[in-house]
Amino acid sequence: MTPIVDLSAILLYLSAASAAVVPRQDSANATTFDVTSGDKAKVKDAAPVAISIEFFAFPEYVQVLGNTAQCLKNLGDAAGAATRIRIGGTTQDRATYDPSSTAAVTYSVDDPADAPANLTYGPAFFELASHLSGPATIGLNRRLNDISNTIAAAQEAVERMDNLFAIELGNEPDLYTDDDPIANHQTWSPSLDAQIQVDWQRQIATALHRTSIIQAGVFLQPPAFSIAELGPLEQAAGSLGYVRSWADHAYPQSACGGATTDLESLQNHSGIVKFVGTFRGEVDAAEEVGEGRPLVFGETNSATCGGGGISGTYGAGLWIVDYVLQSVKLGYERLYFHHEGTIGNSPYSWWGRDQVFSPYYGAIFAASALNDAAYMTQLDASTSHLAIYTFHASNDTLLRAVILNTQYYPNTTTAASRPSETVVLTGLEDGESGEGKGKVKGKRLTARWSGLEVAYGESPTFGGQRFNGESCEAEGEEVWEEMDVAGGEVTIEVAASEAVLVYF
């Protein structure tokens, strides 16, 4: 039976459970938020927390890793709908389809940690993808300018995959160069890319006898290449009917070319709000071309070029929570978090051969918050490290609230108190919240410090539970914190680098 404990009792329990737990320092003043306030934003997809898997590595994820199926199922269970998958990335533009191959993928590398410079794949690739439980988007090659080969691959995908959502034509064309075959000795530019995208969409959709089949754009962080430019050109060319969805890629930080990353700024609430806000033009552009086509982050994670040492941290999990909620609030329907590269050499990945990594806990938290929500609101003003969200059913019933304290908490060997904030939610109805009169309950996402990584022997917990590295099954008793509602108010304490998901 799932235990329900008093909030003060759970804090005492956590402190007593481990001498390593740092005591909380109560905030001198509470911050109050009215749950009846805020502008409602529509939650457009049933499972916004989605997964992107690098093209060449996909077969290994589903054939070799024994925990992949359960990790995907956990996300789907948390969301209340099957996890959406995108298979693509840099190596989709290095891949050639071989209909005679009996292997899912074939390639060779000098170093097992490397991604292949070229590869072939066969019908078995699509057979594997057909067994995914959720809608799947497949990224195919455009860079090599072999449209006949891409059409053959697309036909096989349509033939085998009842779960096919869309097909991408190329990956991040803003990174193509004049020397790439697709440029055909022309100067590569946004207008040339748009012209070729539209032409390829028409040829491939016609060959498939399909409309609404292409995930268009697939750009790395506009505005240089953007839906804002492509959308009107699609409209003018009469090719919108081929487009199922629009996709941007997004990485708030970069580790490329020796650039440094910073976890404290990654998980900072105000910084997350500012970064997501730079995509407002893309949301507006997608709405202007009309007909309700989804706009997604088709590939995203914390930092380009491998994550720069921050992607596998607990702080990255907190970033995921806030980043997902800000993106959904802005108008993006899904965020496909990229799992890059060779198993065991993929800092972005949420799970590996025998471990479930810290960011996965944030993904489960975010998916749980959005479960069955029709609308969400942000109650805070984006000016501090506190992020406060509420989630509502289609009949306006208040379902949940997220209390997220993004204040960075570094590793410390001292006994210094861990800062905390006291949050008061008002506007509640006494006696109509939670399972008992005048009470609500919640689950806490916590870890010893922001930079904690499972690879070094410690795990975060969500509701007192961890995920087994080999099976991805939740372990330990699920712990619910029970909080009193009095006078239409409930008080919740959340320490630096913690989050609480409150259920009403």
Side-chain angles (χ1 to χ4, degrees):
M1 181 176 179
T2 300
I4 298 179
V5 298
D6 182 80
L7 176 59
S8 59
I10 188 64
L11 293 177
L12 288 172
Y13 165 79
L14 289 171
S15 296
S18 171
V21 174
V22 178
R24 271 63 170 166
Q25 175 184 334
D26 292 343
S27 175
N29 299 302
T31 308
T32 300
F33 299 93
D34 183 353
V35 299
T36 65
S37 65
D39 296 327
K40 290 181 180 177
K42 188 175 181 180
V43 178
K44 298 178 180 179
D45 194 75
V49 180
I51 298 289
S52 168
I53 300 177
E54 182 62 43
F55 191 91
F56 85 93
F58 166 67
E60 190 172 8
Y61 268 91
V62 295
Q63 290 181 302
V64 176
L65 291 187
N67 50 9
T68 292
Q70 186 62 44
C71 284
L72 292 176
K73 182 179 184 300
N74 293 343
L75 283 169
D77 290 347
T83 304
R84 286 78 166 106
I85 306 290
R86 175 257 189 173
I87 303 165
T90 302
T91 55
Q92 78 184 65
D93 267 329
R94 303 174 184 176
T96 299
Y97 178 61
D98 180 359
S100 66
S101 175
T102 58
V105 292
T106 303
Y107 62 87
S108 62
V109 290
D110 293 332
D111 185 333
D114 290 342
N118 54 73
L119 64 149
T120 61
Y121 63 104
F125 188 96
F126 300 113
E127 184 64 25
L128 290 175
S130 74
H131 295 294
L132 295 168
S133 61
T137 296
I138 299 288
L140 300 179
N141 194 326
R142 183 160 62 99
R143 185 182 66 87
L144 295 182
N145 200 24
D146 187 348
I147 194 168
S148 296
N149 187 262
T150 299
I151 286 174
Q155 289 172 329
E156 191 69 32
V158 168
E159 175 69 23
R160 289 184 180 261
M161 295 178 61
D162 291 337
N163 60 337
L164 181 65
F165 177 79
I167 293 170
E168 292 179 352
L169 301 176
N171 179 72
E172 297 175 357
D174 27 357
L175 301 183
Y176 291 175
T177 71
D178 299 352
D179 295 327
D180 282 323
I182 192 65
N184 196 25
H185 309 294
Q186 302 174 79
T187 300
W188 191 250
S189 66
S191 60
L192 179 59
D193 170 66
Q195 173 189 327
I196 295 173
Q197 279 211 45
V198 167
D199 180 55
W200 275 53
Q201 290 167 12
R202 177 186 57 79
Q203 291 191 60
I204 289 173
T206 299
L208 297 176
H209 306 290
R210 290 284 190 97
T211 57
S212 190
I213 189 63
I214 303 298
Q215 181 152 288
V218 202
F219 300 125
L220 177 61
Q221 293 184 202
F225 288 64
S226 66
I227 307 303
E229 178 163 358
L230 177 62
L233 293 175
E234 296 265 19
Q235 200 167 35
S239 60
L240 276 176
Y242 306 132
V243 177
R244 178 73 182 270
S245 52
W246 308 101
D248 291 316
H249 292 182
Y251 291 81
Q253 296 191 24
S254 175
C256 298
T260 58
T261 58
D262 181 70
L263 181 58
E264 183 172 3
S265 61
L266 177 74
Q267 70 177 69
N268 177 267
H269 177 50
S270 298
I272 292 167
V273 172
K274 182 178 180 180
F275 174 75
V276 173
T278 63
F279 291 88
R280 164 60 68 184
E282 293 291 85
V283 174
D284 293 343
E287 291 177 350
E288 285 172 9
V289 295
E291 300 184 30
R293 291 176 180 82
L295 173 63
V296 304
F297 281 129
E299 182 185 309
T300 191
N301 217 299
S302 54
T304 55
C305 294
I310 61 175
S311 289
T313 64
Y314 167 66
L318 297 174
W319 164 74
I320 286 168
V321 174
D322 207 10
Y323 175 50
V324 166
L325 300 183
Q326 280 295 314
S327 299
V328 170
K329 174 176 172 284
L330 184 66
Y332 280 82
E333 299 200 14
R334 302 173 187 170
L335 296 87
Y336 291 88
F337 286 89
H338 198 43
H339 289 52
E340 176 196 50
T342 307
I343 305 300
N345 188 42
S346 176
Y348 294 142
S349 295
W350 291 350
W351 61 89
R353 287 192 180 94
D354 57 2
Q355 291 178 320
V356 176
F357 302 116
S358 295
Y360 184 74
Y361 291 78
I364 292 289
F365 184 103
S368 301
L370 289 160
N371 183 307
D372 203 32
Y375 300 94
M376 62 172 292
T377 62
Q378 179 183 347
L379 304 185
D380 68 278
S382 306
T383 55
S384 76
H385 48 258
L386 277 178
I388 314 294
Y389 301 95
T390 57
F391 304 87
H392 307 260
S394 56
N395 64 358
D396 288 337
T397 299
L398 178 62
L399 299 174
R400 292 171 215 95
V402 164
I403 316 297
L404 171 62
N405 186 345
T406 68
Q407 182 179 0
Y408 180 73
Y409 187 66
N411 189 15
T412 178
T413 56
T414 72
S417 295
R418 185 171 184 168
S420 69
E421 296 282 350
T422 301
V423 172
V424 178
L425 299 181
T426 66
L428 300 172
E429 296 183 21
D430 293 341
E432 296 184 13
S433 299
E435 294 179 351
K437 289 188 177 181
K439 292 186 181 294
V440 295
K441 60 182 182 178
K443 293 174 67 175
R444 186 175 299 267
L445 175 64
T446 190
R448 278 208 311 128
W449 58 295
S450 299
L452 181 142
E453 295 188 54
V454 171
Y456 299 122
E458 290 189 67
S459 296
T461 59
F462 177 41
Q465 294 183 308
R466 295 176 172 85
F467 293 97
N468 180 279
E470 294 183 353
S471 69
C472 209
E473 296 276 2
E475 294 183 329
E477 281 192 307
E478 187 176 35
V479 177
W480 292 86
E481 303 175 22
E482 192 172 84
M483 296 156 272
D484 293 328
V485 178
E489 299 181 354
V490 62
T491 300
I492 302 158
E493 184 182 341
V494 58
S497 292
E498 275 193 344
V500 177
L501 181 57
V502 183
Y503 290 75
F504 297 99

